[in-house]
């Protein structure tokens, strides 16, 4: 199965995320060994992108949910947990008078 986003083929999970975000993943996650100045510049750029695209976090969440639903639908099969039975002995006499 081939996956295309905006006319570009995503050949790996990294490509998929980068194409879906429209920015390099490293912008959001950083890179190992980056200096304090590089980190500051990266975070400033990320803030500018978020300021220009306030719906980006919602879009990313939607894309991630769609990808999970397409490739791992069992992750959305949520089963409510039952409460364990109350195992405390009950006072047969009722409330104290």
């Amino acid at each position: 199965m081939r996956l295309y986003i905006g006319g570009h083929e995503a050949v790996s999970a990294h490509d998929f995320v980068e194409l879906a975000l429209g920015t390099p993943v490293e912008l959001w996650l950083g890179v190992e060994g980056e200096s304090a100045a590089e980190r500051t510049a990266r975070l400033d750029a990320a803030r500018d992108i978020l300021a220009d695209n306030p719906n980006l976090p919602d879009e990313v969440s939607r894309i991630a949910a769609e990808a999970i639903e397409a490739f791992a639908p069992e992750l959305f099969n949520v089963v409510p947990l039952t409460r364990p039975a109350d195992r405390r002995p009950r006072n047969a006499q009722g409330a104290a008078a």
Side-chain angles (χ1 to χ4, degrees):
M1 173 188 222
R2 292 180 183 218
L3 196 65
Y4 289 89
I5 298 174
H8 298 282
E9 182 179 6
V11 294
S12 69
H14 188 271
D15 285 348
F16 176 80
V17 172
E18 188 169 322
L19 289 168
L21 288 173
T23 61
V25 175
E26 294 80 13
L27 175 68
W28 307 102
L29 302 179
V31 292
E32 189 174 332
E34 72 182 352
S35 69
E38 290 169 330
R39 182 175 192 275
T40 301
R42 178 178 59 78
L43 293 176
D44 284 344
R47 274 189 215 91
D48 289 344
I49 290 171
L50 288 174
D52 292 342
N53 302 287
N55 294 330
L56 184 61
D58 293 335
E59 288 295 312
V60 170
S61 298
R62 182 187 56 77
I63 291 167
E66 288 174 357
I68 291 169
E69 187 175 32
F71 296 105
E74 64 276 2
L75 293 177
F76 281 134
N77 290 341
V78 179
V79 178
L81 299 175
T82 58
R83 292 181 158 242
D86 191 8
R87 299 195 187 272
R88 291 180 292 175
R90 297 190 182 236
N91 186 350
Q93 298 173 352

